[in-house]
Amino acid sequence: MNKYMAELIGTFWLVLGGCGSAVLAAGIPDLGIGYLGVALAFGLTVVTMAFAIGHISGCHLNPAVTVGLWVGGRHDTKDVIPYIVAQVIGGIIAGGVLYIIATGKAGADIGGFATNGYGEHSPHGYSMLAALVTEIVLTAVFLFVIMGATDKRAPAGLAPLAIGLCLTLIHLISIPVTNTSVNPARSTAVAVYVGDYALSQLWLFWVAPIIGGIIGAIVYKAVAGKE
């Protein structure tokens, strides 16, 4: 159970740190951290947890990463579903903690609660097609970087930095489009507390990242050859 608990805790931290920065700190007038701050927050959650639990579970924190690594031959079939369940549970717990904090002042309004969306629920009104392409392509790149950085031929010890910086860059590109998912667990973690449109659009933030993860793994294997 150690690796499943590690995934639960790691995903908890990703959602609390990343979504928490978006909900609590991004929009404060004059002092808000903005898109750059939120992007860095998500990247930092991955860097810190990669060092903390990478040696226990591999620090996936993301169903799309788990599926992609499985397709890439880096993850056991028997662990795919337990990893995904642990990630979703960890994310939902973090979403609950964040909800309690965010509603803990008079007149609190959680707004979109860092949910992902398209169309009228995209931060800047991007279409479903734009959201779908964004999430597929960026998750594919994410898996490509993950597989390359963790390849046994890659420089040892630098994978957490490469992966965290990649996630930061992904957020800098796509926050305006979808509020950035590339992670079904992260999307589910906040959508369940908003309901309504967040749940009706959640399908895209499961389907697109998983497709992207599979594509990224296949492309890496084709480019890199045998390890």
Side-chain angles (χ1 to χ4, degrees), residues 17-174:
C19 294
S21 69
V23 171
L24 301 175
I28 301 172
D30 301 323
L31 297 176
I33 60 175
Y35 287 170
L36 176 59
V38 174
L40 285 170
F42 273 100
L44 288 170
T45 63
V46 171
V47 171
T48 52
M49 274 298 161
F51 282 116
I53 66 170
H55 56 288
I56 301 171
S57 69
C59 192
H60 297 187
L61 317 185
N62 182 339
V65 171
T66 296
V67 172
L69 291 177
W70 171 67
V71 170
R74 301 274 192 88
H75 194 62
D76 290 340
T77 301
K78 66 180 177 60
D79 284 332
V80 172
I81 298 302
Y83 264 54
I84 292 173
V85 170
Q87 291 155 3
V88 171
I89 291 172
I92 290 173
I93 294 171
V97 171
L98 180 57
Y99 187 86
I100 292 170
I101 296 170
T103 57
K105 65 175 184 177
D109 179 7
I110 63 169
F113 201 52
T115 53
N116 302 114
Y118 55 83
E120 64 178 310
H121 302 296
S122 158
H124 291 270
Y126 285 86
S127 69
M128 183 179 74
L129 179 60
L132 192 68
V133 170
T134 298
E135 292 290 327
I136 290 173
V137 171
L138 293 182
T139 312
V141 173
F142 193 35
L143 259 292
F144 189 91
V145 171
I146 289 170
M147 291 195 67
T150 56
D151 193 308
K152 64 183 180 182
R153 297 166 293 184
L158 297 179
L161 294 177
I163 295 167
L165 288 172
C166 181
L167 188 60
T168 298
L169 178 55
I170 285 170
H171 278 76
L172 289 174
I173 296 167
S174 60

